[in-house]
Amino acid sequence: MEVGEVFTVDPVPARGEELDWPARAACRDVEPDLFFPTPTHGAALAAAERRALAVCRVCPVLAACRAWANVEQPHGIAGGLTEDERRRARRATPRRPGRAERSAVVPGPSPRADRAPVIAAGHTALTAGADRGDIARTLGVTRRTVDRWAAALAIPAGGGR
């Protein structure tokens, strides 16, 4: 394909041709390598992108292709957009609801939800001067958690070891 070459596409599919959008795409008879430029930057990349985008400009199914490309095609030129343009479009589009937002089920209590007795036991052990490592192992918490409890109680680092 030459830089100045113009494409014309018949938007009506030929007899027996599938009626889905890829069968009517302007790129259906174009070498696929055109849409995956090998230059990585500069004027060579810009020229390669322009050649591929020239095909997209006259495509009768550009909207359908763009919708597909934004979701399914991370590389190359697709939907009349470069990789960077699709990436920016995805960032600007609000995300679909995540699992937590879709779920109508209220989660049950966490097995760690009622930690008040554990915290109280930790505080008691700290004020009694027990070893922080022993407290952590006995109560099933991390040493860091015990250190946070000690800091909240204003027990010095050496206190309670």
Side-chain angles (χ1 to χ4, degrees):
M1 179 178 133
E2 297 301 318
V3 174
E5 192 173 345
V6 177
F7 284 91
T8 58
V9 177
D10 182 6
V12 179
R15 177 178 278 174
E17 192 174 327
E18 292 181 29
L19 295 177
D20 60 337
W21 68 265
R24 295 181 291 136
C27 62
R28 71 180 179 268
D29 296 322
V30 176
E31 179 63 37
D33 290 344
L34 176 70
F35 299 95
F36 298 94
T38 52
T40 58
H41 63 281
L45 175 62
E49 287 176 342
R50 277 193 307 274
R51 286 191 296 272
L53 292 171
V55 176
C56 295
R57 265 195 301 277
V58 297
C59 186
V61 293
L62 181 61
C65 182
R66 182 169 291 168
W68 168 83
N70 279 332
V71 175
E72 300 291 333
Q73 184 61 35
H75 304 292
I77 307 298
L81 300 172
T82 65
E83 291 176 24
D84 290 338
E85 290 168 334
R86 286 195 310 280
R87 193 174 303 115
R88 283 192 299 271
R90 282 191 299 272
R91 283 188 199 135
T93 303
R95 292 179 178 240
R96 292 182 299 191
R99 276 192 189 144
E101 295 168 331
R102 279 187 262 151
S103 175
V105 178
V106 177
S110 166
R112 302 183 73 114
D114 190 17
R115 301 298 285 169
V118 174
I119 295 169
H123 287 188
T124 302
L126 281 168
T127 55
D131 179 71
R132 292 181 185 188
D134 290 341
I135 295 170
R137 281 187 295 281
T138 302
L139 297 177
V141 296
T142 64
R143 171 65 189 255
R144 182 175 176 208
T145 298
V146 176
D147 289 340
R148 284 196 304 264
W149 291 341
L153 295 171
I155 297 176
R161 291 193 282 162

